[in-house]
Amino acid sequence: MPYRIAMIGAGSFFTDGITEGLCRQKAIFGGSTFVLVDSDPKRLRLSAARNLDIVKRMGGGLTIVAAKDRRRALAGCDYVVTSCEKNRVPYWIRDIEIPMQFGVRQFMGENGGPGGQAHAMRNITMFMDICRDMRDVCPDAWLMNFTNPMSFVCTYFNRYSGVRALGF
C-alpha cells in the first residue's frame, strides 16, 4: 500500500537520511509519495534536488514532491515527520546568553534549564499550528518528531495536541 509521508523542515540535510531509509525499504514504501515541506524556498529547492537524486540512485520507487504550503502538503498524509525550527541558531545562542547574564550557566541550553524552557515555548507554539492542520487534513496520521526539546514537545503532543505522536 503506498503511503503519503510529509517531512516538515525538509530543507535540512536530515531529510536525506529519511529518504535513504524509505528507499532501502522499497518493499514497504515503494510507490509512496514523500512530500518535502520547508518555508525557505532555496533550501526546499536544494533539498528536493538532492532527494530526487537519492531516489534515482537507490531506485526506491518514491515520488518526491516539494511544497511550501504546509496545510496542502499534509492533506491525506499517513505520516508526518518533523525536524523543524525557526531561526534555530540565533535563538539557541540567546537561550544560553540570557540565563548567563543572571549567573545560570548551561552547557547547551537546548533541552533543559531556562534556555530549554524558552526553546520549548517557541517550538510548542509552532507545533500548535502543525497539529491543528493535522487534525483538520490528516487526522489519522502519526506525527514522528525529531525536533527538540523532545521531552517538552512530546509532553505537549501527549496532553494537548489531539494527534498521535512519537518522539525520536
Side-chain angles (χ1 to χ4, degrees), residues 24-143:
R24 283 190 187 98
Q25 297 298 320
K26 59 184 129 205
I28 298 168
F29 296 107
S32 295
T33 300
F34 192 33
V35 185
L36 309 181
V37 184
D38 203 283
S39 58
D40 183 318
K42 181 179 178 183
R43 289 173 60 119
L44 180 60
R45 187 177 65 252
L46 292 171
S47 180
R50 281 193 325 269
N51 285 276
L52 283 166
D53 285 344
I54 291 167
V55 171
K56 196 179 295 182
R57 177 174 41 85
M58 294 184 73
L62 286 178
T63 299
I64 301 289
V65 176
K68 267 197 76 166
D69 184 327
R70 180 185 68 224
R71 189 173 173 87
R72 190 176 303 169
L74 292 177
C77 277
D78 301 291
Y79 300 97
V80 177
V81 181
T82 53
S83 179
C84 52
E85 291 191 51
K86 294 179 182 170
N87 300 316
R88 181 178 192 265
V89 173
Y91 284 133
W92 194 9
I93 291 168
R94 298 296 292 153
D95 289 345
I96 295 168
E97 290 175 344
I98 292 170
M100 195 175 292
Q101 292 172 358
F102 298 95
V104 178
R105 287 175 173 63
Q106 307 176 114
F107 174 66
M108 304 267 300
E110 183 174 25
N111 289 305
Q117 294 244 311
H119 189 198
M121 294 303 106
R122 282 192 306 275
N123 287 344
I124 288 169
T125 301
M126 172 186 66
F127 274 112
M128 290 170 79
D129 292 335
I130 293 168
C131 291
R132 181 202 61 232
D133 288 348
M134 287 182 66
R135 286 189 309 269
D136 290 347
V137 302
C138 58
D140 296 324
W142 275 94
L143 172 59

